[in-house]
Amino acid sequence: MVVIAFVWTLPTAGLMISSLRPPDDISRTGWWTVLSHPFEASVWTVDNYVQVLTAHGLSNAFLNTLLVTIPSGVTPITIAAFAAYAFAWLEVPGRRFFFTVVVGLMVVPLQMSLIPLLRLYTQMDLNGTFLGIWLAHTGFGLPLAIFLLFGY
């Protein structure tokens, strides 16, 4: 198993090492030649990463990705934690009915809500905004998150 894991990981290690080498060295020698003198500073560079991140607005796209994914993940989980706690421990009239509604929302296809949501977003000027994306992710993710956290 160790040999299989080593052989399976070897190409990934080669790719990682190659990505940290200057382009001339990559074209002249194999990635394994670095292993003979790994602490020599001239064989390592991060210029390849700088070039990729600064070309064609990739760093801006990476920042947008963070601005979408972090709030879109944290918000529904936070709200779901409160809701799941209430469903599990608080004696509220209609608790079972509302939990059944939440579980029922998990089987509704998301495509059914796209046109009404687009119309609502257009009326409220939320199209193309981060707030619109965060609200959509929160709304679509809440039923499953509440159900999963309720089980814990």
Side-chain angles (χ1 to χ4, degrees):
M1 291 304 288
V2 173
V3 172
I4 291 172
F6 176 75
V7 170
W8 194 270
T9 309
L10 201 57
T12 305
L15 264 169
M16 182 65 187
I17 290 171
S18 291
S19 73
L20 294 169
R21 297 178 66 210
D24 292 338
D25 289 350
I26 293 171
S27 61
R28 280 195 334 252
T29 61
W31 63 267
W32 54 88
T33 58
V34 174
L35 300 177
S36 63
H37 42 76
F39 299 111
E40 189 175 316
S42 64
V43 298
W44 303 108
T45 184
V46 292
D47 290 340
N48 298 334
Y49 286 99
V50 171
Q51 182 181 0
V52 166
L53 288 174
T54 57
H56 306 292
L58 188 62
S59 59
N60 190 31
F62 185 70
L63 178 64
N64 284 341
T65 300
L66 291 177
L67 288 173
V68 168
T69 56
I70 293 172
S72 294
V74 170
T75 306
I77 289 174
T78 302
I79 295 171
F82 289 120
Y85 179 83
F87 282 132
W89 296 104
L90 298 180
E91 294 294 333
V92 178
R95 174 180 69 160
R96 289 184 182 183
F97 170 75
F98 288 118
F99 186 72
T100 305
V101 169
V102 168
V103 171
L105 286 173
M106 289 192 304
V107 298
V108 175
L110 299 179
Q111 294 84 350
M112 288 182 60
S113 64
L114 291 180
I115 299 299
L117 192 61
L118 177 64
R119 288 182 181 160
L120 180 66
Y121 274 25
T122 302
Q123 289 174 357
M124 299 177 72
D125 276 338
L126 288 175
N127 284 344
T129 64
F130 286 121
L131 179 62
I133 294 170
W134 298 336
L135 290 174
H137 277 267
T138 300
F140 291 140
L142 267 176
L144 179 62
I146 291 171
F147 180 72
L148 290 176
L149 291 175
F150 174 79
Y152 287 106

